[in-house]
Amino acid sequence: MDALRSTAPADTRLFGFPEAADFAGRVEEIARSVEFLQILAAQAVERTRREAQAARHTCPAPGWRTGWTEPTTSGTADTADAADAATDADTATAAGAPGSVAGLAEAADPVHDGYRNAAEFLRARLRIGISEARRRLTLAESVLPQTGITGQDLPARHPVLAAALSAAAVPSRSATLISIALDQVRHHADPDTIGQMEHSLTRTALESDPDFVHRMAKRWVDAIDQDGTEPSEEELRHRQGAFIRTPRHGLHHLEIFATAEQIETLATAMNTAANPRLQHHTGTGTGTGGEGAQGPDSGDTGTGGDSNSEGAHPGLDRRSRPQKLLDGLVGACSIALATGELPANGGLRPQVMVTIDYQDLLNRLQHHTPTPNPGTTNPGAANARPGTGAATFHGPIHPTAIRKIACDADIIPVLLGSEGRVLDIGRTTRIFPPHIRKAIIARDRGCAFPDCTIPAPWCEAHHITYWTNEGTTSTDNGTLLCSHHHHVIHKEHWTITTETGVPWFTPPPHLDPRQTPRRNHHFRPTRT
């Protein structure tokens, strides 16, 4: 390593891009091996300090004096001198004997270094932050074998994750995120569900970066522990509402507490203005109502035809995302008011696509459980898997909310297989027709490129086998891609293949020398 550090600066200047990518990959493999050794070292420090402290408590230091002596008579002086000489000899022998009481006490002396625990010692000794020291020690407790109270060997608490970390297949940060997530749900799920979660997240960590692992871990936690017992209808009615607060800095303050189905409707309306695929012509570039809220189909430039019209030469949209969301909500309300057809219940019926896997459908039919009463828990909630029912913009949605939406919704039946393949859409050209696109949305739910989180409304339908190469317009030959990844695919460095109707992406050699196919697990988590 010393030789590599001295020669690498000059050598890397001669690399081409493929060589630099390979070099970065090899260095990362070494770093992950070092990270595992760091976890081992932290555990060794904590274990040896604990053993030394135990030895100190059981073995008092030699040579302790109380300061009080018993008076001796002349008749017993010789006997006392002989006893003192024997005691001194025994003390000297004990002090020099390895494994003796005094030797153990002397060996425990380094424990008294002024640090209260192993984390503080590691911070001072290794010059790392206290949070990093605690992270290493906490992870060691989960992925390394431990010693029981009676001295027996205990296996690692998370064996699948431990095997991946010891093989330097996952970074220690991903392992920490997975371990924390598993600890959060261990009191809310049965061992089989915990095992499925560990397998799924470990597999995700093998293929993705820690940021994506964090998102998937949060999805698992939210699905298993959905904030405890579901609130009753009465509780939700008391808490929800739109509250008009005191104006601040010349702006009106509106605060909304909405249920899952309400926020999804609002988010769908607001995101019409935040969609990066659309170009919005605003008069001032700041949005928030006025002429900029009329929408692209109004036909009015909103400027009264003056010389400052930006309809023909739209400028840079400088609105922030919150401003765009407000414009989308105000624009949707303006269009609804213009129709003059607002019903008494407060809006047109929503059209929501709720997906359910074929195996989940069979399980629900065979093991139907009634809706629990308020204040009770569903015994099957611990076995819930993320992604069974999902809203477009806000992820997993509770089955109770789905039932409410379905009572007043246009329902499109879409049946999915175990691998996410569209089996039946009810009704079966170069442009993807609406029913084919809806089937692809039900399967992909968003951009299908690995680790992308762009939702379906902002994506484009892409022919896996190009139309010009005799590709068909069908669900098996279609996939959703965001604008950025659509351009990436058309550069033809990545290749797309289908397995049981599900798209898999093979990276170029400079990104993954083994070219292992990948798929996006953000919208449909890994199944085990």
Side-chain angles (χ1 to χ4, degrees), residues 45 49 113 115 118-128 133:
V45 168
R49 283 178 62 88
D113 47 17
Y115 301 110
E120 291 188 0
F121 173 81
L122 290 173
R123 178 180 62 176
R125 180 66 176 82
L126 306 180
R127 300 187 299 280
I128 60 176

Side-chain angles (χ1 to χ4, degrees), residues 91-108:
T91 301
T93 303
S100 61
V101 172
L104 289 175
E106 185 178 357

Side-chain angles (χ1 to χ4, degrees), residues 225-303:
D225 181 21
Q226 299 181 1
D227 199 22
T229 304
E230 181 184 3
S232 65
E233 291 289 338
E234 186 176 358
E235 288 181 89
L236 293 179
R237 279 196 301 271
H238 281 301
R239 296 176 183 177
Q240 71 184 39
F243 303 90
I244 301 177
R245 305 301 188 187
T246 304
R248 299 178 181 177
H249 309 294
L251 296 174
H252 292 278
H253 180 202
L254 179 65
E255 192 171 20
I256 299 176
F257 293 91
T259 60
E261 63 271 19
Q262 291 171 337
I263 194 61
E264 182 64 20
T265 301
L266 292 174
T268 302
M270 290 189 292
N271 277 285
T272 58
N275 189 340
R277 295 287 304 160
L278 300 179
Q279 294 193 9
H280 305 275
H281 305 284
T282 60
T284 62
T286 58
T288 65
E291 57 269 26
Q294 296 180 15
D297 298 330
S298 63
D300 186 0
T301 61
T303 59

Side-chain angles (χ1 to χ4, degrees), residues 323-342:
Q323 290 171 340
K324 292 179 181 179
L325 294 177
L326 178 59
D327 281 348
L329 181 59
V330 174
C333 294
S334 300
I335 294 173
L337 291 172
T339 63
E341 298 179 0
L342 286 176

